[in-house]
Structure formats: structure tokens, C-alpha cells
Amino acid sequence: MRLLRCGADAVLVELGSLTEVAAARVVLGGVPGVVEVVPAARTVLVAFEPGALSHSAVRAALAATDLTSAPATGGREVLLPVVYDGPDLDLVARTAGVGVDEVVRLHSGGGYTVAFSGFAPGFGYLTGLPDLLRQPRLDSPRTRVPAGAVGIAGEFSGVYPKSSPGGWRLVGRLADGADELFDPRREPAALLAPGDSVRFEVSG
């Protein structure tokens, strides 16, 4: 673990795993004076009220925590209906050595947690992808992935909130009528937040 100052009132904590990030996010979020905790794949940025905390106080809070145990998420439960007709569904099945129906069963049967957000507003990196479906990104990224596309890459699954370039393997799309992942007119604007639990439901 390494702590780096980010201005006068923020610290970037470098960690070794997603489990450590999740544990640090929870403990730091409960420290008085903290105003924001932003997790990423191997870091947590903690911002606090001016003068409320110090570099050493953040270190002490983390030292008193078992960062090797994943905490209870404490977030909301979000159900996302999915039509499994993605353009890479056959590729994912061939790579995994199973049939398409098994890919759908495995992906929709997993219990996912939003580890962190990034790439685009509303995009959540979801952990919990079954081992058999962990596959690399496409060799050549697409110049346009439609909004609502459901993909996998490495140890993550995710849903594209808006149309954008992307290299994840696409297995499906959100069903018509599903909640938008990002709506700036909504409070909060992002449907998914770190710590939320996500389930995919087969639709269509």
C-alpha cells in the first residue's frame, strides 16, 4: 500500500487488488470529514474537508482494517433485463468451449458487484463474471458500440451507457424499457454506483 498526496485535502491510496480497493472504499467512506471516495482498479482517491484529516490519519484508518476481506457491499440491488443477441456471442461461446445457451446461463446467473466507475459517465465495471467467461478484449475495437450493449472483458462485465467506441466482447443488449444507465436530469445521474449489486435477467 502506498499513499500519495493529491493537493492539500486529498490522498490517493495505491493498493494491490480489487478486494483491497473495495475494503478501503468502505472504511474510508465512514471516516468523519471524508467528502468523497473514488475507487478504481487498484487505487482509491479520498477527498476530505479542508483541515479535517491528514495523510497519517488516512493511513491509520487503513492500517486498522483487514483489507484482505471483501466487505458486504451495502449498496442497492439493480436488476437489468438483457436480450442475449450480441454480435460476439458465438465468439464467446467458441472461446469458452461451450454452447451459446450455456454462455447466456452463466452470464445471467452470476451475481455482480460494481467495483468502480469509469471510461464513460454511468459505466460500471462489474466483478463476479464466471471464470469460464473471462476473455480478452477484441483484437480490433469497434468504432461504435451502441448504447445499452452488454459486454465482457477480462474479469469484468459492463454495459455501455452511451454509444461510443469500445473493444469489449458484446453478448447482448439491455431490453427495451430498461432504466438508462446515465441520465443527467436524474438524481443521481448514474444508475450504478460502486458497491451496488447487479443481476442480469434474460429478456426477450
Side-chain angles (χ1 to χ4, degrees), residues 9 11-12 21 24 29 40 59 90 94 101 136 147 155 193 201 203-204:
D9 301 305
V11 173
L12 184 70
V21 167
R59 182 179 294 278
D90 287 338
R94 290 197 307 273
D101 289 347
E155 62 187 303
E201 180 181 63
S203 178

Side-chain angles (χ1 to χ4, degrees), residues 79-146:
L79 180 64
L80 297 177
V82 175
V83 178
Y84 284 92
D85 61 356
D88 301 317
L89 192 57
D90 287 338
L91 171 62
V92 170
R94 290 197 307 273
T95 304
V98 298
V100 167
D101 289 347
E102 181 66 2
V103 171
V104 173
R105 187 190 71 79
L106 287 169
H107 189 267
S108 62
Y112 300 87
T113 300
V114 183
F116 57 95
S117 302
F119 167 64
F123 187 93
Y125 286 79
L126 309 180
T127 57
L129 185 69
D131 289 345
L132 196 62
L133 298 185
R134 297 185 180 188
Q135 302 182 11
R137 291 170 170 79
L138 297 172
D139 292 335
S140 298
R142 293 181 170 87
T143 58
R144 181 182 180 277
V145 175

Side-chain angles (χ1 to χ4, degrees), residues 38-41 114-126 137 141-153 156-170 181-182 190 192 194:
V38 183
V114 183
F116 57 95
S117 302
F119 167 64
F123 187 93
Y125 286 79
L126 309 180
R137 291 170 170 79
R142 293 181 170 87
T143 58
R144 181 182 180 277
V145 175
V150 178
I152 61 174
F156 300 109
S157 189
V159 184
Y160 287 77
K162 299 293 182 184
S163 176
S164 68
W168 289 33
R169 298 187 179 196
L170 306 181
L181 292 180
F182 186 79
L192 304 178

Side-chain angles (χ1 to χ4, degrees), residues 12 15 29 33 35 38 55 69 71-72 78 94 110 113 130 132 152 167 176-177 183:
L12 184 70
L15 297 157
V35 296
V38 183
H55 184 278
S69 298
V78 180
R94 290 197 307 273
T113 300
L132 196 62
I152 61 174
D176 292 342
D183 183 351

